[in-house]
Amino acid sequence: IIADTSRMFHVELCEGEESHVEQLDPEVFNVRTNHGIKYQKGGYSPTDGSNYVSSKLRRAMAEVELLNCETDKDIMKCLRQQAFDRDSNYNLRRTVPGEHGMFTSSQVCMNLSTLTFNFHTYGGMCDFQGIEEYVPEDYKPKIKIKLTDTQEK
């Protein structure tokens, strides 16, 4: 997704295909999970069974749940929800155990009005090393970065 406060575009790239660009409504939440929108081979497809169902279900759940959110904090809290059993692949935040279990290691919310990048990690699921800043010393960044972490597995 490429956006500013007045325009938003979804760009989908898939090997062997022309890039697909679609203009979105910046006034509504735009959610992406692990399946292609234009190209079925751009992620999980119907032939992938429960992984595809999980991707589609999590997107639909997020779109509905986000309607009740007013702040960045509300959004990040919403994304951490687990409406199904803890081991379910259908939760917005997945914690499926086992060698091949799906898990969420981080989640992002970008507020284009306030230029805030919210990044939440699940420390038990990733090894976040921090942020490296490469802007000149005399430059004041325009984007605020908010980092939060949950230390649970």
Side-chain angles (χ1 to χ4, degrees):
I1 293 179
I2 300 170
D4 62 19
T5 55
S6 61
R7 300 166 296 169
M8 183 177 293
F9 300 89
H10 173 248
V11 180
E12 190 166 346
L13 304 171
C14 193
E15 187 175 347
E17 303 286 351
E18 291 289 319
S19 59
H20 179 260
V21 179
E22 177 184 6
Q23 188 160 7
L24 305 173
D25 181 354
E27 297 298 316
V28 299
F29 289 109
N30 287 279
V31 177
R32 295 295 177 260
T33 52
N34 303 91
H35 63 276
I37 304 300
K38 170 75 174 171
Y39 302 115
Q40 281 193 359
K41 64 182 181 180
Y44 292 130
S45 69
T47 60
D48 292 312
S50 66
N51 287 333
Y52 178 73
V53 172
S54 168
S55 184
K56 297 286 275 191
L57 180 61
R58 288 180 296 109
R59 179 179 180 199
M61 285 176 33
E63 288 172 339
V64 170
E65 293 296 328
L66 288 169
L67 293 174
N68 298 316
C69 296
E70 294 183 17
T71 67
D72 297 359
K73 189 174 182 176
D74 293 342
I75 293 168
M76 296 306 285
K77 183 178 179 182
C78 171
L79 293 176
R80 289 194 286 273
Q81 288 189 94
Q82 292 187 306
F84 299 92
D85 290 339
R86 183 169 167 77
D87 294 353
S88 175
N89 204 25
Y90 298 147
N91 286 311
L92 295 180
R93 176 183 168 229
R94 296 179 292 177
T95 56
V96 181
E99 185 177 329
H100 301 289
M102 299 286 191
F103 63 89
T104 303
S105 59
S106 62
Q107 292 173 316
V108 172
C109 166
M110 298 175 285
N111 184 326
L112 301 177
S113 298
T114 63
L115 295 179
T116 304
F117 180 84
N118 297 277
F119 185 73
H120 184 83
T121 61
Y122 297 95
M125 306 306 265
C126 69
D127 183 19
F128 179 66
Q129 298 291 310
I131 296 174
E132 293 189 29
E133 191 174 318
Y134 294 100
V135 297
E137 285 187 34
D138 61 341
Y139 180 82
K140 183 175 180 186
K142 294 175 180 66
I143 298 172
K144 296 177 229 100
I145 300 174
K146 290 187 179 177
L147 301 175
T148 55
D149 178 66
T150 303
Q151 285 292 322
E152 62 182 66
K153 290 194 177 208

